[in-house]
Amino acid sequence: MKQKKTLSRGMKCFLYVLPVIILIFIFGYLPLWGWSYAFFQYKPGRALLDCKFVGLQNIKDLFGNAVMQRNILRVLKNTFGIKFLGYVFSPLPMLFAVLLSEVRSKRFQKLVQTVTTLPHFISWVIMFSLALAMFGTDGLVNTTLHNLGSETTINVLNSDKHVWLTQVLLQQWKEVGWKAIVYFAAIAGLDQGLYEAASIDGAGKMQRIWYITLPQLIPTYFVLLIMDIGKFLNSGIDQYLSFGNALNKEYIEVLDLYVYNIGIGSGQISYSVAVGVLKSLVALVLFASANYVSKKVRGSSVF
Amino acid sequence: MTLITKIKKMSREELIFHLIAYPVFALVLLVCAYPFWYLFICTISDNKMVDLGQIFLLPKGIHYGNYIKVLKIDNLSNAAVVSVLRVIVGTGLQILVSSYAAYFFTKQEMWHRKLWYRLVVATMYFSAGMIPVYLNIKMLGMLNTFWVYVIPGMVGVYNMILIKTSIEALPADLEESAYLDGAGYLTRFFRIVLPLQKPILATVGLFGAVNHWNDFFTTKLYVTRPKLYTLQFLLYELLNQVRAIMEQPQDSGPGYDSLTPMATRMTMTAIVVVPIMLVYPFIQKYYVKGIMIGAVKG
């Protein structure tokens, strides 16, 4: 009797949440049927089943077809290049937090934090507009150079040189302050006794940073880095859509943008889905591995 | 006087550190804040002086003509309405549905709770991909509707996890007594649990609102009807036109008394960025909390 009662309560609870599960199913799982497009030679305007079934040919083409292969390689190179260059800058938020928290004036700390976090909350479209205002051909830098009598025009936004570096630096400008917050919180939670003991033993500021603060932040740094590597292929698209143009296209087209361009831009649905399928699978493996490593490092998993 | 005594008390190392750190961080401040400031003073300065590069620190020849003209741009007021509606409806639905789901997923007695919860959370890490999602939205008939802005993001899984963690921190007795008094799930959720979640709902809501406001890709991907454009997308389009001009060698622009392309895009950017600036102090109040829970949960 009692058994039955708990079961019906559990059922009732489930029925309440069922609409949410259905929503999740419709928008999270139902799109998987779209993967079938990868196995047909889909032509827009026709029903999928009227199109020619080609099996794995589309996926083979990605690696066999010379043009496709060249494009995929280029796009992967861009995705990897921008990401790796980003990793070079990955200790920056940690260093920023460590140094800023050593500054005596709390008010100055607060001010710097407030201002540096703001760019995180603006969109990449706004970023592009700000970049145009500063570095565009009619932007502040160039008009000033001309006023000073220089003949050259610096055109970083509109050139095929240093595209990766420009994009990564923009990311740093936008995100360093935001990413530093985790480290500020971690620093605030460190045991103050250690610092006092070190001071009594005669350790200077730099020694305290080097031997006490940094070693305790390194695990956080690695966990965040690993999680970021887990999301490696999801480079996002907003930034590259905003900053991409005909001149830097060769170097700015990352995987997501490429999928968009061939799928929506030129209507090659089947190929773009094939690329997307491979991406989703690789991303899943990457994420699982990152989760596994992170579990080893800190003893708890994300999922 | 106090400053001098403070400095005297510092060790040599401490002093050197501050002598380097203050200028460095002051430079960081400048680099972060100046583009916003420059953009803003340009919008209210004389357009001719802006083009000639004579504006650096303070606005000159202050006028509000740019704003008046930009506000008259075709479709702008309509896009503003769409953006605001999207933020209100989208964020409201997201908070409601996410907290509703979060509440029920705290209930141990739910039939196969673990399985359903995992199914929901998995969507955070796995996506069928952009084009399949697009095809799905198309199949559901949501292309070129307002709903494409607010419905697919309704269950914010990440938000749901944050709210669930927060609900789990409530003492169990709280609901227990209401349960014994015969209150059902919904009564307990709306009357007892939800009112106690205001801080986390504010956090989640502010972040959701900013994301809704900032998004332009949804419009780019799913919407072709100009009546449904958002402000961000309108700005994106405008910048695209500028880009198209930029790619060809350009002669001097139109007369200075009219709206220059640069003045147009700067003014429009200012209009789009102002709401973010206005809610930023509130966001700041909550974001540390948000990112800390986020850091733990991935």
Side-chain angles (χ1 to χ4, degrees):
Chain A
M1 196 60 200
K2 204 177 174 197
Q3 184 70 34
K4 204 183 163 207
K5 190 146 191 231
T6 48
L7 186 77
S8 70
R9 246 188 98 199
M11 237 359 193
K12 201 173 159 197
C13 198
F14 169 69
L15 287 177
Y16 272 119
V17 92
L18 187 61
V20 177
I21 294 173
I22 291 175
L23 261 179
I24 285 283
F25 175 78
I26 291 176
F27 293 105
Y29 290 98
L30 194 57
L32 282 173
W33 69 265
W35 281 20
S36 53
Y37 282 73
F39 308 105
F40 287 87
Q41 211 165 51
Y42 178 69
K43 300 246 165 43
R46 264 200 243 169
L48 183 63
L49 290 175
D50 295 340
C51 298
K52 199 177 152 210
F53 181 80
V54 292
L56 292 174
Q57 193 55 44
N58 287 327
I59 292 176
K60 278 185 197 150
D61 275 358
L62 295 183
F63 302 102
N65 180 317
V67 180
M68 271 290 174
Q69 197 183 25
R70 188 149 23 89
N71 277 332
I72 293 269
L73 278 180
R74 177 177 59 87
V75 166
L76 283 178
K77 211 168 97 190
N78 291 338
T79 314
F80 278 67
I82 292 176
K83 272 287 179 181
F84 278 123
L85 206 54
Y87 293 144
V88 174
F89 289 91
S90 64
L92 208 58
M94 181 171 70
L95 295 178
F96 178 80
V98 168
L99 294 179
L100 186 59
S101 61
E102 290 290 337
V103 171
R104 281 268 174 97
S105 162
K106 290 283 170 229
R107 262 164 92 192
F108 185 70
Q109 278 187 24
K110 187 94 196 139
L111 176 71
V112 174
Q113 268 199 58
T114 304
V115 174
T116 52
T117 314
L118 176 65
H120 171 75
F121 293 98
I122 62 168
S123 65
W124 277 105
V125 180
I126 305 280
M127 282 291 288
F128 180 60
S129 183
L130 288 175
L132 267 183
M134 304 307 290
F135 304 109
T137 39
D138 53 357
L140 180 66
V141 171
N142 279 317
T143 44
T144 307
L145 279 178
H146 289 176
N147 289 346
L148 293 175
S150 161
E151 293 287 312
T152 51
T153 300
I154 299 175
N155 209 348
V156 278
L157 300 176
N158 214 358
S159 98
D160 57 355
K161 304 229 162 53
H162 316 297
V163 177
W164 295 351
L165 186 65
T166 311
Q167 296 308 315
V168 169
L169 288 176
L170 286 162
Q171 287 167 3
Q172 304 308 314
W173 187 82
K174 194 169 188 293
E175 301 295 341
V176 164
W178 169 252
K179 287 183 176 164
I181 294 176
V182 179
Y183 297 105
F184 280 119
I187 292 168
L190 294 182
D191 181 7
Q192 290 305 308
L194 284 173
Y195 291 94
E196 280 160 31
S199 292
I200 292 167
D201 288 346
K205 199 178 200 70
M206 285 304 143
Q207 281 175 316
R208 289 194 304 256
I209 292 178
W210 189 253
Y211 291 108
I212 304 178
T213 315
L214 281 180
Q216 296 191 79
L217 293 181
I218 293 289
T220 309
Y221 167 73
F222 273 111
V223 168
L224 292 178
L225 185 66
I226 291 162
M227 295 322 295
D228 200 51
I229 294 173
K231 289 179 248 162
F232 196 93
L233 292 177
N234 301 325
S235 45
I237 194 168
D238 286 19
Q239 178 183 4
Y240 309 108
L241 259 182
S242 303
F243 279 86
N245 57 44
L247 286 164
N248 62 18
K249 184 171 179 267
E250 277 293 300
Y251 299 94
I252 211 169
E253 203 174 31
V254 294
L255 202 52
D256 281 337
L257 184 56
Y258 180 66
V259 169
Y260 175 83
N261 282 343
I262 60 171
I264 307 291
S266 43
Q268 293 172 287
I269 296 278
S270 291
Y271 275 127
S272 69
V273 174
V275 177
V277 168
L278 290 182
K279 192 202 124 167
S280 289
L281 293 178
V282 175
L284 198 65
V285 172
L286 269 176
F287 177 76
S289 332
N291 196 30
Y292 177 78
V293 176
S294 138
K295 204 170 173 177
K296 287 278 167 202
V297 173
R298 61 171 175 171
S300 75
S301 81
V302 180
F303 183 43
Chain B
M1 207 55 201
T2 47
L3 185 70
I4 292 170
T5 45
K6 258 190 201 165
I7 290 174
K8 272 188 181 160
K9 265 183 162 171
M10 281 183 185
S11 69
R12 228 176 79 100
E13 196 186 14
E14 188 89 21
L15 189 67
I16 294 173
F17 173 82
H18 279 90
L19 280 179
I20 298 173
Y22 274 113
V24 167
F25 282 115
L27 186 70
V28 170
L29 270 184
L30 188 74
V31 168
C32 267
Y34 184 69
F36 291 103
W37 176 246
Y38 176 69
L39 187 97
F40 173 69
I41 58 175
C42 281
T43 60
I44 56 171
S45 293
D46 186 56
N47 290 344
K48 186 174 179 178
M49 291 173 101
V50 174
D51 265 16
L52 293 176
Q54 292 170 342
I55 306 294
F56 293 104
L57 290 175
L58 291 170
K60 286 179 196 159
I62 294 180
H63 71 120
Y64 303 102
N66 287 339
Y67 284 91
I68 294 166
K69 280 176 198 146
V70 166
L71 287 174
K72 277 186 202 144
I73 287 183
D74 229 18
N75 211 9
L76 187 111
S77 51
N78 185 65
V81 172
V82 174
S83 279
V84 169
L85 266 182
R86 174 182 177 177
V87 168
I88 293 171
V89 178
T91 315
L93 276 176
Q94 197 184 45
I95 291 182
L96 187 71
V97 176
S98 304
S99 54
Y100 175 87
Y103 171 72
F104 283 99
F105 279 124
T106 61
K107 295 284 163 247
Q108 303 296 329
E109 68 262 28
M110 185 197 291
W111 182 64
H112 285 304
R113 187 186 73 104
K114 268 229 158 85
L115 170 76
W116 303 122
Y117 186 62
R118 290 205 165 166
L119 263 166
V120 172
V121 173
T123 58
M124 211 162 95
Y125 304 114
F126 178 78
S127 156
M130 185 194 305
I131 307 297
V133 170
Y134 170 84
L135 294 168
N136 189 47
I137 293 285
K138 191 174 166 190
M139 183 188 72
L140 295 169
M142 284 169 77
L143 290 186
N144 280 319
T145 62
F146 178 73
W147 304 114
V148 77
Y149 289 135
V150 294
I151 302 225
M154 216 155 64
V155 198
V157 176
Y158 180 68
N159 293 339
M160 189 196 75
I161 297 174
L162 295 185
I163 301 169
K164 179 170 169 276
T165 316
S166 163
I167 294 179
E168 277 165 349
L170 290 178
D173 322 354
L174 216 58
E175 268 195 70
E176 193 64 31
S177 54
Y179 173 62
L180 293 176
D181 287 343
Y185 283 116
L186 288 182
T187 318
R188 278 179 280 155
F189 170 61
F190 281 112
R191 291 286 170 77
I192 299 172
V193 176
L194 209 53
L196 290 169
Q197 300 303 321
K198 273 178 199 149
I200 189 81
L201 294 186
T203 314
V204 166
L206 282 168
F207 278 78
V210 170
N211 284 341
H212 270 297
W213 182 261
N214 277 342
D215 174 56
F216 72 97
F217 187 61
T218 307
T219 317
K220 172 125 177 124
L221 191 56
Y222 303 119
V223 177
T224 46
R225 257 179 67 196
K227 277 263 167 264
L228 286 171
Y229 284 178
T230 58
L231 276 183
Q232 294 277 351
F233 186 72
L234 220 55
L235 179 62
Y236 170 79
E237 290 274 271
L238 186 77
L239 293 171
N240 250 339
Q241 290 162 14
V242 174
R243 184 170 7 202
I245 300 165
M246 208 164 70
E247 275 159 15
Q248 301 144 3
Q250 194 189 351
D251 332 298
S252 57
Y256 286 119
D257 52 327
S258 73
L259 208 52
T260 61
M262 183 158 65
T264 315
R265 60 172 209 252
M266 281 180 163
T267 310
M268 186 129 165
T269 307
I271 292 172
V272 177
V273 99
V274 156
I276 298 283
M277 299 281 189
L278 291 181
V279 295
Y280 184 58
F282 300 99
I283 296 173
Q284 218 198 353
K285 203 171 140 193
Y286 291 109
Y287 64 46
V288 177
K289 203 179 298 164
I291 200 176
M292 280 323 289
I293 309 173
V296 176
K297 286 286 168 188

